[in-house]
Amino acid sequence: MAAWPAVPLLINVGGSLLGFVATLTLIPAFKDHFLAARLFGEDLNKASRRPVPEAQGVISGAVFLIILFCFIPVPFLRCFVEEQCAAFPHDEFVELIGALLAICCMIFLGFADDVLNLRWRHKLLLPTMASLPLLMVYFTNFGNTTIVVPKPFRVLLGMHLDLGILYYVYMGMLAVFCTNAINILAGINGIEAGQSLVIAASIIIFNVVELTGDYGDDHIFSLYFMIPFFFTTLGLLFHNWYPSRAFVGDTFCYFAGMTFAVVGILGHFSKTMLLFFIPQVLNFLYSLPQLFHIIPCPRHRLPRLNPSTGKLEMSYSKFKTKSLSAIGTNILKVGKILHILDVRSGTDEDGEYAECNNMTLINFVIKLIGPTHEQNLTLLLLLIQVLGSTIAFSIRYQLVRLFYDV
């Protein structure tokens, strides 16, 4: 790829704008088809429980794939003119096809999850399977598993460290984390598509800044994926915004997460990618006791609507006190002392019980600010996402000097 391939990027932007219009148009056009197929749900945070079509991420995902399928020959246009291309860049072509294969697999598996309502253990397995094409492309094209050791650890480990197969384990886990991190920070209108849009915008800014650096080709590759993703997600967010006329479903969460994993791994900026997931990392850490069932975890952890005020309040998990393990009991005690959990206890016909707020960033924000309107809550969480990206850029371009030679 050329250092500044203006024509491919312009074509990519043009196709992405068409994708935005297509997504805006197709979601309402297919509404009746989804309702007829019983692919709909009720908005639990609304007084009127009207059916809302689910798994609409499959539409934005399909539009995204169509854009990039049509775009496949564009980065290699120079090779159609013999004197401008000494040899066809097969490695770049394989990279592009492998990335599309991984994303395509994840959209298919995500839609299967929406239709079949798979268990959580399957949600961990599916991204792992879908990441295999991605890891094979990395192995055949790059195969480099050596990392630069941060300054504080160089006395023990030296300047460089070859992680071998552990590096591939890390990349596979990155794909699993990205897909599920968006999926567990969900439950209110606009939050899944909104956080993905902010992350995509952050990656695009990072790619543009780095275009003139030593790894410009990698960032151009990332832009080829992120620009269409941004615009198709923008179209989806329009319909998913409060009051939602479409639910994105697990399809979109898987699709978004795998797209981020693809550009992070093949674009060689996976550490920076994780920095853009700061709110998702905090949400994951806060959720761990429930994710590992140390504290009982209900199926839905979204906030609950107070019909009299029209505002969202924290949702709670209620359980018998004696059913908790010693670890669970200590977690509740520490959480209560640190004021990061709202813990209640009492007695009913079944004996002593305890309840605590469901451990999500959404409920934690409600704990801090009190009951709030759903739209305002979404805006606040997206502001937190923007703040996270601002911190990520500060770490990437300032604090990084403490750990690496730049």
Side-chain angles (χ1 to χ4, degrees):
M1 299 178 189
W4 280 88
V7 173
L9 281 175
L10 287 174
I11 293 174
N12 188 277
V13 171
S16 301
L17 290 171
L18 291 175
F20 168 69
V21 175
T23 306
L24 276 180
T25 307
L26 290 174
I27 288 177
F30 276 86
K31 176 181 178 180
D32 292 337
H33 294 275
F34 279 82
L35 294 178
R38 304 192 64 80
L39 282 173
F40 63 84
E42 294 180 345
D43 195 333
L44 301 178
N45 288 329
K46 303 293 185 299
S48 60
R49 299 291 180 86
R50 56 184 177 82
V52 179
E54 285 195 289
Q56 298 302 285
V58 74
I59 295 179
S60 66
V63 172
F64 172 87
L65 288 176
I66 291 170
I67 294 168
L68 282 176
F69 285 165
C70 295
F71 182 75
I72 287 173
V74 174
F76 312 103
L77 287 175
R78 70 186 188 277
C79 286
F80 298 148
V81 182
E82 235 178 274
E83 60 271 15
Q84 292 185 13
C85 184
F88 188 84
H90 291 93
D91 56 336
E92 295 175 8
F93 182 72
V94 168
E95 196 174 320
L96 185 62
I97 298 299
L100 283 174
L101 177 59
I103 294 170
C104 190
C105 287
M106 205 65 254
I107 292 174
F108 168 72
L109 294 172
F111 189 65
D113 186 10
D114 278 324
V115 174
L116 302 176
N117 201 16
L118 301 176
R119 295 180 180 274
W120 264 105
R121 60 176 175 268
H122 300 135
K123 294 175 187 285
L124 297 177
L125 181 65
L126 295 182
T128 305
M129 296 297 101
S131 67
L132 292 179
L134 190 63
L135 300 183
M136 282 304 300
V137 169
Y138 186 90
F139 175 76
T140 55
N141 272 13
F142 310 108
N144 182 23
T145 57
T146 301
I147 63 168
V148 178
V149 177
K151 289 179 181 178
F153 304 102
R154 288 179 185 173
V155 176
L156 297 173
L157 302 174
M159 184 73 174
H160 299 94
L161 179 65
D162 187 3
L163 295 179
I165 194 172
L166 291 178
Y167 195 77
Y168 292 94
V169 173
Y170 157 72
M171 290 190 289
M173 291 177 65
L174 177 67
V176 173
F177 173 77
C178 287
T179 52
N180 286 287
I182 293 172
N183 200 17
I184 63 174
L185 183 54
I188 58 176
N189 292 171
I191 189 62
E192 298 100 323
Q195 63 183 297
S196 300
L197 196 72
V198 174
I199 294 172
S202 303
I203 295 170
I204 289 171
I205 293 170
F206 173 66
N207 292 152
V208 171
V209 170
E210 293 291 322
L211 273 181
T212 55
D214 296 335
Y215 302 98
D217 286 356
D218 295 330
H219 293 283
I220 290 166
F221 172 83
S222 175
L223 285 171
Y224 288 160
F225 285 82
M226 280 295 102
I227 294 172
F229 177 81
F230 179 87
F231 281 104
T232 53
T233 301
L234 186 62
L236 178 62
L237 180 61
F238 177 81
H239 294 288
N240 185 234
W241 192 254
Y242 181 91
S244 179
R245 284 91 62 198
F247 291 152
V248 300
D250 290 340
T251 307
F252 175 77
C253 297
Y254 288 170
F255 157 49
M258 184 54 74
T259 305
F260 295 143
V262 160
V263 297
I265 292 170
L266 297 182
H268 304 286
F269 57 91
S270 60
K271 293 190 293 294
T272 303
M273 169 68 67
L274 282 174
L275 289 176
F276 293 132
F277 276 75
I278 289 175
Q280 285 72 24
V281 171
L282 294 176
N283 181 62
F284 172 71
L285 294 175
Y286 187 54
S287 299
L288 276 177
Q290 285 193 312
L291 294 179
F292 285 99
H293 293 280
I294 300 171
I295 304 295
C297 182
R299 177 169 177 76
H300 296 293
R301 300 192 298 161
L302 67 162
R304 61 182 179 86
L305 175 69
N306 186 330
S308 61
T309 62
K311 294 181 177 181
L312 297 185
E313 300 177 352
M314 287 188 294
S315 61
Y316 287 82
S317 174
K318 185 178 179 180
F319 42 86
K320 293 181 180 179
T321 305
K322 61 182 180 182
S323 68
L324 272 186
S325 65
I327 297 175
T329 302
N330 288 327
I331 288 174
L332 291 185
K333 287 180 179 178
V334 173
K336 188 174 183 179
I337 292 170
L338 296 177
H339 299 287
I340 59 174
L341 288 177
D342 185 24
V343 183
R344 304 170 180 174
S345 59
T347 305
D348 59 14
E349 62 274 9
D350 296 323
E352 291 186 357
Y353 72 87
E355 60 180 359
C356 72
N357 63 281
N358 284 310
M359 300 175 187
T360 67
L361 184 62
I362 300 173
N363 280 307
F364 182 68
V365 169
I366 295 176
K367 175 175 170 55
L368 293 179
I369 66 173
T372 186
H373 190 272
E374 185 173 358
Q375 185 174 13
N376 295 336
L377 182 59
T378 302
L379 286 170
L380 181 56
L381 287 163
L382 293 185
L383 283 175
I384 292 173
Q385 191 72 52
V386 172
L387 177 62
S389 291
T390 304
I391 294 171
F393 280 115
S394 300
I395 294 172
R396 174 61 180 81
Y397 290 107
Q398 299 299 326
L399 291 182
V400 71
R401 301 174 195 278
L402 299 175
F403 299 94
Y404 297 99
D405 299 313
V406 293

